[in-house]
Amino acid sequence: MILTSRLGQRWHQATAVFGLFGLIAQLILSLSGIQVPAGLADRPGLGLRFIRFFCYFTIQSNLLVLVGVLPLALGLRGAHGSYDRRWWRVVRLAGVVGITVTGIVHWFLLRDPDAMINFGWLVDRVLHLVVPVLAVVGWLLFGPRPRIDAPTIRGAVAWPVLWLISTLTVGGLTGWVPYPFLDAEVTGAGTIVLTLIGITVMFLGLAFLGWWGDRRLPGGRPAPGEMPRTGAGDQSKIGPTVRDRFSSKNPE
């Protein structure tokens, strides 16, 4: 059984295309020196630029969205030991929540309304606005669900925590941070702590909001082995395997 509807598959395909375009275009711009993300203005060597490129929360969240959405875009099946495993569910949740944080933080903390409109501006909007909207709306409308439980939330939250720890460690050792609001010399240590607490709380809140919506939003597909969701009293939509399982039981 395909996990998403035909429209859902097309939506996930669009998400994958925009995400892949944004990541490749931004990597080319960064490595070529034509346009670099905030924090790379010191123009380090090519190898160091390549490594730092993947240190950005924006890049990592877009990568997670891409990995999570590719099986859905390709219409792969989720049962019988294929991609629909714990690791994919963690990646899917981390990607959706992470890209939501990316969009919110960019809009309120990093967006430059006076930025020159050029190709770099377009790529920036794709990574920070287009992909977040496509990913979140795609999850809301097409799922698949239910896919979120406590272990999935723990796994998803581990990623931003590790990112924060590694980012602050590298910043303390080298003086380089990927975002201006993480620079203690610019904003002050107290502001950094408050910002990080706010981002962490926001990530946790969004993850639990996703868990809540995962069980209440319509249009999702059941996980392998779970009973499909149907309207009240509508037994005709229950697959034969589930119906046979119930009908085969002897009344007690």
Side-chain angles (χ1 to χ4, degrees):
M1 178 179 65
I2 302 299
L3 287 177
T4 58
S5 66
R6 183 65 61 182
L7 176 59
Q9 185 178 356
R10 294 288 181 264
W11 189 281
H12 295 311
Q13 288 170 349
T15 306
V17 168
F18 275 101
L20 189 60
F21 163 76
L23 288 167
I24 293 176
Q26 184 61 70
L27 179 60
I28 293 173
L29 289 172
S30 299
L31 295 183
S32 65
I34 297 175
Q35 186 259 341
V36 295
L40 288 184
D42 53 335
R43 303 284 181 176
L46 185 64
L48 186 55
R49 256 185 285 170
F50 180 79
I51 294 174
R52 287 182 175 180
F53 173 81
F54 292 98
C55 295
Y56 287 85
F57 191 90
T58 295
I59 300 302
Q60 292 186 17
S61 61
N62 274 271
L63 281 170
L64 289 172
V65 167
L66 183 60
V67 173
V69 83
L70 272 178
L72 306 176
L74 297 174
L76 300 182
R77 299 177 182 272
H80 309 300
S82 60
Y83 76 90
D84 191 11
R85 297 177 181 233
R86 174 70 62 194
W87 71 267
W88 178 80
R89 298 184 181 198
V90 169
V91 168
R92 175 74 169 149
L93 177 60
V96 172
V97 175
I99 205 69
T100 304
V101 174
T102 293
I104 293 174
V105 171
H106 172 77
W107 186 264
F108 290 104
L109 296 180
L110 300 174
R111 181 174 60 96
D112 182 7
D114 300 321
M116 181 182 300
I117 299 178
N118 51 25
F119 184 70
W121 176 90
L122 174 64
V123 173
D124 181 80
R125 291 304 182 270
V126 168
L127 293 173
H128 291 98
L129 297 177
V130 177
V131 174
V133 170
L134 287 174
V136 173
V137 174
W139 180 82
L140 288 172
L141 294 181
F142 308 110
R145 48 184 163 267
R147 293 294 187 277
I148 302 175
D149 55 15
T152 301
I153 293 177
R154 287 196 296 268
V157 172
W159 160 57
V161 171
L162 291 175
W163 179 83
L164 288 172
I165 294 174
S166 62
T167 297
L168 293 178
T169 301
V170 171
L173 294 175
T174 67
W176 177 84
V177 289
Y179 298 104
F181 61 81
L182 294 177
D183 190 343
E185 295 183 359
V186 175
T187 62
T191 301
I192 291 178
V193 171
L194 291 176
T195 301
L196 295 181
I197 291 176
I199 293 176
T200 302
V201 170
M202 179 168 57
F203 196 100
L204 282 169
L206 289 171
F208 280 101
L209 184 62
W211 171 81
W212 180 87
D214 190 55
R215 280 152 174 73
R216 288 165 176 79
L217 289 172
R221 296 284 190 175
E226 294 180 343
M227 182 183 296
R229 293 174 178 172
T230 64
D234 186 2
Q235 298 298 318
S236 63
K237 295 183 180 179
I238 298 180
T241 300
V242 178
R243 186 164 54 236
D244 293 344
R245 185 171 65 216
F246 280 91
S247 62
S248 63
K249 292 184 178 180
N250 295 325
E252 296 179 354

